[in-house]
Amino acid sequence: MLKVDEVKRKLKTKVIGRKIIYYDEIDSTNQKAKEVAMHEEEGTILIAEQQNAGKGRLGRSFFSPKYKSLLMSIILKPKIKPENATKYTLMTAVAIAKILHRMKVKVGIKWPNDILYEGKKLIGILTESNIESTKINYIVIGIGINVNIKKEEFPNEVKEVATSMYEILSKEVSREEILIALLEEFEELYLNVDFKSILNQWKEYNVTLGKQIKVIPIAEETFNAKAIDIDEEGALKIETDKGIETFNAGEISIR
Ligand code: BTN
């Protein structure tokens, strides 16, 4: 079981994770976070040992086995313009990449926000927001980290494309340690918000730009392109036979 008391004792943050709501089992921490966000304080996190309906991007599910992963959602209420909301996804990816590099796990960020290790997915991020025309009510940042999952425990559909800290480091890893490091790094970036620097750091850790990719739009045929850049909103600039386009609704694979 996650030692929540130890985390609370050691955590040196002012806002992020000051309140931790812990579940043994839940459908989805993101779902629950959206239900409670309006009356919870900024920085509150929801964390579960197991999710029965863990959500991934684009309506996918996220493998969430008991006691093996870090499955959490952070509630944010930033007082910034709604158009800046997506930037917090880039910020999260940067915070995660930084702490993992410190642990000598050299991950890369695949657009928009998969954290990969040697091409395999280690961490997923799902951001969901409640935005009015002029104001952000809340942003929920969902993070799922495959910590102590053994290769044979992954379901067949993801066995070849997913990895875990256990597989990378060949040993059990403390979930408390990762959680504390992540919340502290996230707070550092969040409270000193500098989106220009976040974008530069995102580019530093990214494994997408400059690559030949397959573009997978939500409702259209896939096509090939080259990933050129990302813009300030986190959209991908791609080059095809027709010229340069901006792509934001779907995903890519690296060819
Ligand atoms: C993806 O890779 O498509 C995003 C996966 C996000 C998974 C996390 S686990 C905690 C939080 N609650 C959810 O239901 N999903 C996110």
Side-chain angles (χ1 to χ4, degrees):
M1 266 167 62
L2 188 78
K3 299 185 197 90
V4 179
D5 285 345
E6 180 185 322
V7 173
K8 285 185 178 162
R9 209 173 53 244
K10 291 187 178 164
L11 190 65
K12 292 200 274 305
T13 55
K14 291 204 234 21
V15 181
I16 305 296
R18 285 331 305 169
K19 177 167 178 188
I20 299 177
I21 308 177
Y22 171 86
Y23 301 91
D24 186 54
E25 247 184 65
I26 199 165
D27 51 354
S28 149
T29 57
N30 261 38
Q31 195 53 44
K32 190 72 187 172
K34 288 194 289 178
E35 285 164 30
V36 302
M38 282 311 237
H39 62 260
E40 287 295 347
E41 300 251 315
E42 148 133 306
T44 296
I45 70 163
L46 290 82
I47 190 154
E49 297 287 11
Q50 172 182 340
Q51 294 183 125
N52 297 322
K55 286 197 290 179
R57 287 181 67 243
L58 307 175
R60 300 206 182 104
S61 61
F62 187 79
F63 180 55
S64 310
K66 200 155 200 167
Y67 305 131
K68 306 251 165 167
S69 304
L70 271 176
L71 307 162
M72 59 183 278
S73 300
I74 308 176
I75 297 173
L76 301 177
K77 300 186 176 180
K79 291 181 187 56
I80 54 152
K81 294 199 186 112
E83 56 264 35
N84 285 316
T86 52
K87 294 178 180 167
Y88 291 102
T89 309
L90 303 181
M91 180 183 282
T92 308
V94 168
I96 292 170
K98 279 183 135 170
I99 63 153
L100 288 179
H101 276 246
R102 251 178 245 146
M103 295 172 76
K104 306 275 178 281
V105 178
K106 303 261 185 283
V107 290
I109 307 172
K110 190 193 104 182
W111 185 91
N113 45 32
D114 281 344
I115 306 287
L116 304 185
Y117 180 83
E118 293 181 349
K120 293 187 174 183
K121 181 150 154 177
L122 177 63
I123 297 164
I125 303 168
L126 176 66
T127 307
E128 300 186 80
S129 334
N130 183 311
I131 292 175
E132 285 174 38
S133 54
T134 54
K135 146 169 186 275
I136 297 174
N137 287 327
Y138 60 79
I139 301 176
V140 168
I141 308 254
I143 303 168
I145 308 183
N146 299 333
V147 183
N148 290 320
I149 306 175
K150 301 196 173 81
K151 182 165 184 175
E152 61 272 19
E153 293 168 339
F154 280 108
N156 283 337
E157 322 76 270
V158 296
K159 205 170 260 177
E160 299 310 322
V161 292
T163 191
S164 67
M165 300 288 285
Y166 178 88
E167 289 297 326
I168 296 165
L169 298 171
S170 308
K171 60 170 190 204
E172 294 256 333
V173 180
S174 154
R175 293 184 301 157
E176 292 78 8
E177 230 169 80
I178 301 175
L179 177 61
I180 292 169
L182 175 56
L183 296 176
E184 289 180 351
E185 188 57 49
F186 185 89
E187 172 159 301
E188 178 77 23
L189 298 179
Y190 184 68
L191 295 186
N192 306 302
V193 61
D194 176 354
F195 287 128
K196 213 173 191 166
S197 147
I198 297 289
L199 200 61
N200 286 336
Q201 294 183 70
W202 189 96
K203 287 181 188 177
E204 218 174 278
Y205 291 115
N206 102 89
V207 290
T208 304
L209 303 183
K211 301 264 170 66
Q212 298 295 335
I213 58 170
K214 183 159 93 181
V215 182
I216 312 164
I218 291 173
E220 292 151 53
E221 294 271 295
T222 64
F223 60 91
N224 291 339
K226 184 176 180 191
I228 304 288
D229 203 357
I230 57 160
D231 68 17
E232 285 183 358
E233 265 69 57
L236 192 63
K237 286 204 184 115
I238 53 172
E239 188 176 17
T240 66
D241 304 344
K242 295 182 210 127
I244 296 193
E245 292 172 36
T246 301
F247 177 70
N248 208 3
E251 68 170 334
I252 59 146
S253 64
I254 296 163
R255 285 189 282 149

